[in-house]
Amino acid sequence: MPSPQGSATPTSVGSLSASDYTKKLGVPVPENANMDLLFAILEWMHVPYKFGGNDKSGVDCSGLINQVYPKVYKVVVPRIAADIRQKAQPVSRSALREGDLVFFRINTKEVGHAGIYLFNDYFVHASTSRGVMISKLDDTYWNKYFVGGGRFSN
């Protein structure tokens, strides 16, 4: 699948800098960002949303986490967003760091949406309307539904 800029997806992490990722992902990437994580995300950007999906033909939020998290952090997490939150060590919003998981309750009693925290309030997730994308926690919509963070040790 082409990258967001229309060129071929890169084949090695070392070949891209933070400024390259800033261009490809459309968000300001700090120099100290985890390039392995960004590379994994770039491979999934714009994959369409599919409930229960777990591959590049379509993926849901927990499917994305299940694909990216073990590859980058060598940690296997549960398949369902609510189960992921239940198994993760709770993390406050102010203590979030790269690789933590963020959880949302959108018009339900249970956590029904999750993403991977990146940096500077950005997180990656599989949106039902736009597929895999990067959003900001302080956006009005996400801020309204945010219920907490979680961390798995690797």
Side-chain angles (χ1 to χ4, degrees):
M1 174 171 173
S3 73
Q5 299 300 325
S7 60
T9 300
T11 57
S12 96
V13 175
S15 65
L16 293 177
S17 68
S19 63
D20 292 328
Y21 281 112
T22 293
K23 291 175 191 166
K24 291 186 176 293
L25 297 173
V27 298
V29 174
E31 290 296 325
N32 65 343
N34 181 332
M35 297 304 165
D36 291 332
L37 176 59
L38 297 179
F39 184 78
I41 290 167
L42 188 58
E43 292 179 329
W44 286 88
M45 286 299 289
H46 308 294
V47 168
Y49 180 87
K50 179 181 176 188
F51 181 76
N54 204 29
D55 60 36
K56 292 187 181 159
S57 68
V59 67
D60 65 14
C61 64
S62 57
L64 176 67
I65 292 168
N66 272 257
Q67 291 296 319
V68 172
Y69 220 75
K71 182 176 182 177
V72 176
Y73 298 107
K74 312 298 185 244
V75 175
V76 176
V77 299
R79 177 60 176 92
I80 308 296
D83 295 341
I84 296 170
R85 182 174 189 219
Q86 186 178 40
K87 299 285 185 188
Q89 174 188 356
V91 176
S92 69
R93 185 168 174 167
S94 62
L96 287 171
R97 63 182 190 222
E98 172 250 298
D100 286 343
L101 300 169
V102 290
F103 302 104
F104 305 88
R105 211 178 281 134
I106 304 171
N107 302 323
T108 63
K109 291 182 180 183
E110 290 287 322
V111 165
H113 190 66
I116 302 171
Y117 186 81
L118 300 174
F119 42 74
N120 302 333
D121 232 19
Y122 288 103
F123 69 102
V124 64
H125 62 114
S127 160
T128 57
S129 60
R130 295 179 56 202
V132 177
M133 62 181 292
I134 295 174
S135 297
K136 275 201 97 158
L137 281 175
D138 67 358
D139 286 347
T140 303
Y141 181 84
W142 296 112
N143 190 48
K144 177 180 177 182
Y145 296 113
F146 178 76
V147 294
R151 183 173 295 151
F152 285 88
S153 301
N154 53 347

